[in-house]
């Protein structure tokens, strides 16, 4: 009996060593086949354009094709769920956005947990929003808006437009209201285009929107920019102050792109993807593409992106809780 146990123990040890050796060899040879990059938004949009530019350069470094697969719907939850449930082998990667940090708190019923099921690989970019108003509005500065928001007359409320509940414009404004202790009234639209149309038409005085789509309207005199949402001024509009500079202490909110893999993906594979992604965003071609959609290249380490992602999840969870925002 003792001899049998000894044989079983030795056999188990040999199998364990063999399995570990095979796994290590597979990781060392990664990637051996094409990689799938899943994008949660339709082809042709900013996320898709950026993803394809990054994928092209990453594939050159990894020496394998990276196939972009669009799975739009449910604010990118379909794509995120697909990657969260994929094998943790580095062959299915998510092109994530700020939505991933928001959706866990915004949606009460998800089939995956963004924080527990997905592991950050690299933050690719960061893009500020602009706080803009109709030029005919009484708000000439952030100070004017703060004054009106603190002394809000219920018979004449301060309205702001957004692309809908849980949209960037909605949550960025709610963060502003929370940080500056303002009373603002939300007017949700079915998309950014109709929201911006009513701000341009003067039906609603203000909104937040992506800098790349909004800055040309500011430069044409159709909108007045009050501030950028990022902690630092934007290279695209260096003359526009930050909200922090304008008296909203600590305000910092940006839209971003980043890569994620299923939790449990081996560290050497994460490191290989991180290096390829970091190199890609630093190329002139990808940097130009990112700036073309209003984003500044980042290319962070996996550890730094993990820290940033955790802070994003916590920040937007607090905003969503305070504003009582919910999407079923």
């Amino acid at each position: 009996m003792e001899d049998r146990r000894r044989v079983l123990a030795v056999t188990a040890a040999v199998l364990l060593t063999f399995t570990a050796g095979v796994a290590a060899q597979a990781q060392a040879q990664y990637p051996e086949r094409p990689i799938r990059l899943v994008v949660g938004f339709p082809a042709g949009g900013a996320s898709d354009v950026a993803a394809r530019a990054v994928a092209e350069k990453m594939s050159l470094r990894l020496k394998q094709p990276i196939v972009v697969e669009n799975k739009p719907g449910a604010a990118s939850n379909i794509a995120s769920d697909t990657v969260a449930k994929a094998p943790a082998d580095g062959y299915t990667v998510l092109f994530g956005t700020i939505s991933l940090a928001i959706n866990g708190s915004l949606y009460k019923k998800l089939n995956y947990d963004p924080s527990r099921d997905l592991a950050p690989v690299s933050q690719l970019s960061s893009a500020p929003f602009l706080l803009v108003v109709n030029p005919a509005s009484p708000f000439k500065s952030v100070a004017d808006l703060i004054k009106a928001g603190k002394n809000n007359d219920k018979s004449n409320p301060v309205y702001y437009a957004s692309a809908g509940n849980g949209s960037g414009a909605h949550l960025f404004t709610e963060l502003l209201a929370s940080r500056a202790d303002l009373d603002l009234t939300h007017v949700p639209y079915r998309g950014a285009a109709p929201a911006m149309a009513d701000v341009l038409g003067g039906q609603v005085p203000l909104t937040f929107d992506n800098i790349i789509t909004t800055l040309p309207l500011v430069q044409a005199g159709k909108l007045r920019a009050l501030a950028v949402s990022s902690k630092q001024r934007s290279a695209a509009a260096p003359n526009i102050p930050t909200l922090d500079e304008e008296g909203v202490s600590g305000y910092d909110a940006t839209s971003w792109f980043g890569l994620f893999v299923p939790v449990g993906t081996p560290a050497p594979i994460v490191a290989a993807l991180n290096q390829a992604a970091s190199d890609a965003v630093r190329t002139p071609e990808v940097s130009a593409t990112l700036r073309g959609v209003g984003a500044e290249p980042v290319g962070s380490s996996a550890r730094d992106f993990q820290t940033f992602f955790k802070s994003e999840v916590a920040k937007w969870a607090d905003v969503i809780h305070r504003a009582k925002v919910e999407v079923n």
Side-chain angles (χ1 to χ4, degrees):
M1 187 69 177
E2 186 64 31
D3 289 342
R4 185 169 181 271
R5 288 177 179 171
R6 190 177 293 112
V7 169
L8 287 173
V10 170
T11 302
V14 170
L15 287 173
L16 183 62
T17 302
F18 175 76
T19 302
V22 170
Q25 184 179 12
Q27 292 170 28
Q29 295 173 345
Y30 172 86
E32 297 181 292
R33 62 179 191 271
I35 297 167
R36 182 170 58 142
L37 182 59
V38 183
V39 181
F41 298 92
S47 298
D48 177 69
V49 169
R52 291 177 188 278
V54 171
E56 181 182 0
K57 294 300 182 183
M58 286 182 66
S59 68
L60 294 177
R61 179 177 178 85
L62 294 171
K63 297 181 174 56
Q64 285 289 347
I66 297 180
V67 180
V68 175
E69 181 178 332
N70 298 93
K71 281 186 170 293
S76 78
N77 282 321
I78 294 173
S80 301
D81 183 60
T82 297
V83 177
K85 291 179 169 56
D89 56 9
Y91 290 99
T92 305
V93 181
L94 176 68
F95 190 87
T97 71
I98 186 176
S99 296
L100 198 63
I102 293 169
N103 289 348
S105 299
L106 187 63
Y107 290 84
K108 299 309 174 187
K109 294 181 181 179
L110 287 181
N111 294 321
Y112 72 102
D113 185 312
S115 297
R116 289 188 301 201
D117 297 337
L118 293 166
V121 173
S122 180
Q123 183 182 354
L124 303 175
S125 68
S126 178
F129 274 33
L130 281 183
L131 176 61
V132 293
V133 296
N134 185 284
S137 81
F139 309 129
K140 303 294 191 293
S141 66
V142 173
D144 290 340
L145 175 59
I146 290 175
K147 182 178 179 181
K150 285 184 178 294
N151 302 303
N152 200 349
D153 181 357
K154 296 300 182 183
S155 64
N156 187 29
V158 178
Y159 292 105
Y160 72 91
S162 87
N165 279 340
S167 65
H170 182 198
L171 298 183
F172 278 43
T173 312
E174 288 297 337
L175 179 62
L176 170 61
S178 174
R179 293 289 171 88
D181 191 26
L182 307 181
D183 184 7
L184 306 175
T185 301
H186 183 210
V187 183
Y189 289 78
R190 292 189 175 183
M196 182 57 73
D198 271 11
V199 174
L200 289 168
Q203 285 82 11
V204 184
L206 75 141
T207 191
F208 267 106
D209 204 355
N210 188 288
I211 192 169
I212 194 65
T213 56
T214 311
L215 190 57
L217 297 171
V218 172
Q219 293 168 337
K222 296 179 179 180
L223 293 171
R224 179 188 299 122
L226 301 186
V228 293
S229 66
S230 50
K231 190 174 183 179
Q232 287 85 30
R233 293 195 182 198
S234 169
N239 294 327
I240 300 176
T242 68
L243 278 162
D244 184 79
E245 289 176 312
E246 291 294 286
V248 187
S249 180
Y251 191 99
D252 183 20
T254 59
S255 179
W256 48 264
F257 298 142
L259 298 184
F260 294 79
V261 290
V263 161
T265 300
I269 291 177
V270 173
L273 288 168
N274 175 272
Q275 188 62 61
S278 298
D279 289 349
V281 300
R282 293 187 179 98
T283 63
E285 296 86 352
V286 175
S287 292
T289 298
L290 290 171
R291 291 190 176 104
V293 295
E296 285 296 316
V298 176
S300 71
S301 69
R303 178 177 295 181
D304 286 348
F305 191 27
Q306 174 72 51
T307 301
F308 172 75
F309 183 63
K310 284 184 177 179
S311 70
E312 285 286 279
V313 170
K315 175 172 67 182
W316 296 119
D318 181 66
V319 171
I320 289 165
H321 174 73
R322 287 174 180 270
K324 297 181 174 60
V325 185
E326 183 174 340
V327 176
N328 296 315

